[in-house]
Amino acid sequence: MLRISKLTDYGILLAVELGELQEPTSVRALSLRTGVPQATASKVLQSLARAGIARSRRGATGGYCLTRPSREIPMLEVLTALEGPLAVTDCVEEGACEHEEGCGTRVSWQRVNEAVARALANVSLADMAPPTPLVALTRSAAHAARLRQGADLSLLAPAEHA
Amino acid sequence: MLRISKLTDYGILLAVELGELQEPTSVRALSLRTGVPQATASKVLQSLARAGIARSRRGATGGYCLTRPSREIPMLEVLTALEGPLAVTDCVEEGACEHEEGCGTRVSWQRVNEAVARALANVSLADMAPPTPLVALTRSAAHAARLRQGADLSLLAPAEHA
DNA sequence: TATATATCGGACTGAGACAGTCCTATATGG
DNA sequence: CCATATAGGACTGTCTCAGTCCGATATATA
């Protein structure tokens, strides 16, 4: 569990796709490439645009593109854009829980929440891109090496628990 | 988002409570202490028992107790008992996604999933207990110090992202 | 200016998960 | 035998999720 919604999954798929295409791309084209239904893709992309992750351009030859290189966009930002602020429990947010003061687990939850957030902040959209050999070969050797090693993701793995 | 369910929250509340009371305690008593409705508490505790986290005892003077000291029970185990295996996305599990092969984000999701899992494996049930000064004072100085420092939770926080 | 092409964004809907309750069966201690 | 517990399946109302539809608005081109 602790699952993200399908919409969010789609959003990441779309954002990754945008990261690989440099030029503005229509929702229709993105829909065909990702398999996400067009109407749904439109909705998700709007959320990304509102959050400042993507930029939209209306009218003929319009479409979407990212506002920054995908390597500079942390996954946490994308998740927040699509599902609201990260909150493992209600009580992590101020005033959401009636037992706010009496409950001793609240502080602990906030720490857990922070740990998860930090993990997601350390993964960029670029890290989610397909690590297929074919793609790796067409890019720099350094980039290919990064892909094979799973990029910075290894940083997220602390030592085994005591 | 990435929220756990309320039932799971209750389960942790109940388990923490069980960790502080040593002797077998009835659902009724646990319900009164935690504020979780009795019927609901019963259900949640059954799940914990099935997962080998708690032990039940029927009949008069029956009730629940933990099978191990709360410090030896990782949060990941409790979450898994109550919501099933951790899976940030469907595609993390085998055969759940029809695009399994074509999708390049799958491997990345599995790494994210592992990172979150490892974070949760490093927090024990005992770490979730109330860190109130009063409680701290009644225990060993070493334990109190642990509480003030947020226990092992600091281990979960890797360096700031690059 | 007319028209084709896009996004914008609110309204609506069916499906499914979630939270919670109820009832009966079963086990234990006195 | 009886009072007290848990076991666990069935059931229900509520809410969120995933997805669609449609009218409004913006842009490029002829």
Side-chain angles (χ1 to χ4, degrees), chain B residues 26-27 43 46 50 56 58-60 64:
Chain B
S26 71
V27 174
K43 234 185 170 164
Q46 281 173 44
R50 268 192 295 269
S56 73
R58 289 188 173 191
Y64 283 90

Side-chain angles (χ1 to χ4, degrees), chain A residues 27 46 56 58-59 64:
Chain A
V27 173
Q46 281 171 44
S56 72
R58 288 187 173 192
Y64 283 90

